[in-house]
Amino acid sequence: SKSMQTVNAMRLFLLVALLCGTVFPFRTPSCQSFVLASSSGNAGGGSALSTSTTSTSLHSSTSPISPNPLLSKIKLSKTIEVFSTVKEMEASGLKVTSLCVGEPDFPPPKAVLDATIAAVNNKDTRYTAVTGTKDLREAVADDLRSRKGLDYDATEVLCSNGAKQSVYQGVLAFCGEGDEVIIPAPYWPSYPEMVALTGAKPVIVPTTIEDGFLLEPEKLEEYITERTKLMIFCNPSNPTGAVHSAERQADIASVLRRHPQVVVLSDEIYERLVYNPSNPHVSFASMEGMYDRTLTVNGFSKAYAMTGMRLGYMAAPAPLLKPCVTIQSQLTSCAGSLSQAAGVAAIRDVEEAEMEANVVNMRGKRDYVISRLEKIEGLKFFVPDGAFYVLPDFSGWLGGDDTEFCLQLLKEKKLALVPGSSFGADGTVRISYATSMEELKVAMDKLEEFCEEKRER
């Protein structure tokens, strides 16, 4: 119907605003004024938001202008208060130590930078096919085949402006009003908001720190209904760093085989950053019966430090990929041509030894953070096998209020961390160790001092 077309068009418009990170008006359910949220649009952390809030008189009882009611379902993250304070402190000349950023601290490989410069010099600045250049799609298909054992044709690869776009297009392609989407918690904060933008309902499945924040197959079975259309599966996980083993994934797949209507969106953006040789990353699409119903999402931001180049991809059988291609064709068309040239070089030209050196570097930082957390009496935490985050449980401090914990830590010690409630994990705090060792040492000194001062005796 015409009205439904209008609703769908507005949803697509909202996605453009979400992806571009533009200043955009949000209205919360409990407030009739607008809040302007200026987001970096960071695809990984959901936490590198340089955000300021301000009220505007645009919406009033006499104004004929109002936003889409769909936005009333979208929550503003609790991290906004933390990051607003960070910016105010920095503007006043104070130095803030931050372990918030969800991007690597190492530069892109030289081969990637050289390919970008060459593309500029060759004037490779024209539109490409909506799905991406043939060279990039073939490189992605070859990489998935050789490293993950997944056999996709180049025509079954869709290159987008970051993995974030790929994720949202997957949600929008298969979910709508009345549908339910399974999201294991802790989760990347954008997942439930993306689901809400489609009109579907996020269904949060809890995990526990005692089980390493892994999704339990029995728990998954409890939450699936006839309305479940999609499961979002982030492995390795942001914010926990948990890596689901092949055996655990096989058990999850056995549950899903009893529910053939459920599509799986497997977000594997951190799969190159795994630290335990006995628990390597395995793609979910390789599980029995899952290939034909899995959208495999990955990108170049985390492994190759190409965060600002905005390049990601989805690989899936043609019947699953086609609706996502249709959506992208009406949103952004192709990904940037220069970024695509860089992506080809990342896959074809970067030596495996260079990739492994980054893993060794990150593992060393993880081990250092863990060694410092072990010194904080009464703290519970799980040692992650992947990504570059740790999610300790600080519920024994400040009454378990993780937002207050982060705010006081910021104001008193000038250390910025992200409250775990933003990730669906109340009482926890996310620490990113994707920074220099010098910065980590300063940060962990501050955290240890604060915990001792605020300890509930």
Side-chain angles (χ1 to χ4, degrees), residues 1-147:
S1 68
K2 187 173 181 179
S3 62
M4 183 56 68
Q5 291 174 348
T6 301
V7 170
N8 289 336
M10 180 58 77
R11 288 175 179 163
L12 295 181
F13 171 73
L14 294 176
L15 171 59
V16 174
L18 182 68
L19 292 172
C20 293
T22 54
V23 175
F24 195 78
F26 286 84
R27 184 176 65 185
T28 64
S30 59
C31 180
Q32 293 303 306
S33 64
F34 278 84
V35 177
L36 293 181
S38 176
S39 167
S40 69
N42 129 315
S47 61
L49 299 175
S50 300
T51 310
S52 61
T53 59
T54 180
S55 297
T56 173
S57 59
L58 177 62
H59 181 82
S60 68
S61 58
T62 60
S63 173
I65 301 174
S66 63
N68 188 328
L70 190 64
L71 283 176
S72 67
K73 299 180 180 180
I74 309 303
K75 298 177 182 177
L76 288 175
S77 171
K78 293 182 179 180
T79 59
I80 285 176
E81 188 175 3
V82 174
F83 289 106
S84 295
T85 306
V86 169
K87 293 306 170 185
E88 291 170 4
M89 294 172 70
E90 291 178 339
S92 67
L94 296 174
K95 178 175 173 53
V96 178
T97 304
S98 176
L99 298 185
C100 298
V101 180
E103 63 181 344
D105 64 316
F106 51 82
K110 185 177 183 298
V112 169
L113 299 178
D114 289 346
T116 306
I117 294 170
V120 171
N121 291 333
N122 293 335
K123 300 180 176 62
D124 294 336
T125 58
R126 301 290 185 178
Y127 291 129
T128 73
V130 169
T131 54
T133 64
K134 183 179 179 183
D135 286 347
L136 179 56
R137 288 181 287 113
E138 287 182 343
V140 169
D142 289 347
D143 185 56
L144 289 173
R145 188 176 302 112
S146 63
R147 291 196 307 111

Side-chain angles (χ1 to χ4, degrees), residues 394-402 404-406 408 450 454 456:
F394 286 95
S395 57
W397 283 261
L398 300 178
D401 187 335
D402 53 275
E404 184 62 25
F405 182 96
C406 289
Q408 289 193 27
F450 181 81
K454 300 295 181 179
E456 296 181 0

Side-chain angles (χ1 to χ4, degrees), residues 204-384:
I204 308 303
V205 180
T207 64
T208 66
I209 193 170
E210 290 77 15
D211 196 34
F213 294 117
L214 300 175
L215 178 60
E216 298 178 13
E218 299 80 10
K219 184 70 69 173
L220 172 63
E221 182 72 74
E222 292 176 17
Y223 282 80
I224 294 178
T225 73
E226 68 277 1
R227 294 183 297 278
T228 305
K229 291 291 295 294
L230 183 75
M231 182 182 82
I232 300 178
F233 185 61
C234 184
N235 186 44
S237 166
N238 174 11
T240 70
V243 178
H244 287 71
S245 67
E247 293 76 17
R248 178 65 65 106
Q249 291 187 79
D251 291 340
I252 293 170
S254 68
V255 172
L256 292 171
R257 284 195 292 272
R258 297 193 286 272
H259 304 277
Q261 84 280 8
V262 181
V263 174
V264 179
L265 194 156
S266 184
D267 185 347
E268 304 181 2
I269 191 70
Y270 293 96
E271 55 90 13
R272 277 283 199 169
L273 296 169
V274 174
Y275 311 121
N276 184 352
S278 65
N279 187 25
H281 176 268
V282 177
S283 288
F284 192 77
S286 67
M287 297 295 107
E288 180 184 350
M290 294 298 110
Y291 178 87
D292 290 332
R293 54 197 288 192
T294 299
L295 308 169
T296 299
V297 172
N298 206 331
F300 298 81
S301 293
K302 311 306 179 183
Y304 300 98
M306 294 166 57
T307 52
M309 302 185 82
R310 309 310 306 127
L311 185 64
Y313 64 82
M314 174 188 291
L320 297 185
L321 194 71
K322 184 176 179 180
C324 300
V325 174
T326 299
I327 291 171
Q328 183 164 311
S329 72
Q330 298 298 345
L331 285 178
T332 61
S333 296
C334 62
S337 57
L338 302 179
S339 297
Q340 292 190 59
V344 174
I347 294 175
R348 301 287 195 200
D349 300 335
V350 178
E351 297 291 337
E352 196 62 31
E354 184 172 357
M355 302 298 292
E356 181 57 32
N358 289 335
V359 172
V360 171
N361 180 30
M362 282 293 186
R363 183 191 293 121
K365 293 175 181 180
R366 179 205 65 172
D367 292 346
Y368 174 75
V369 170
I370 293 301
S371 71
R372 296 298 302 270
L373 292 176
E374 288 174 340
K375 297 179 180 179
I376 301 177
E377 183 181 350
L379 180 66
K380 290 195 302 182
F381 61 90
F382 155 75
V383 179

Side-chain angles (χ1 to χ4, degrees), residues 169-182:
Q169 288 176 169
V171 177
L172 184 60
F174 294 96
C175 303
E177 293 286 347
D179 294 331
E180 295 179 352
V181 177
I182 295 289

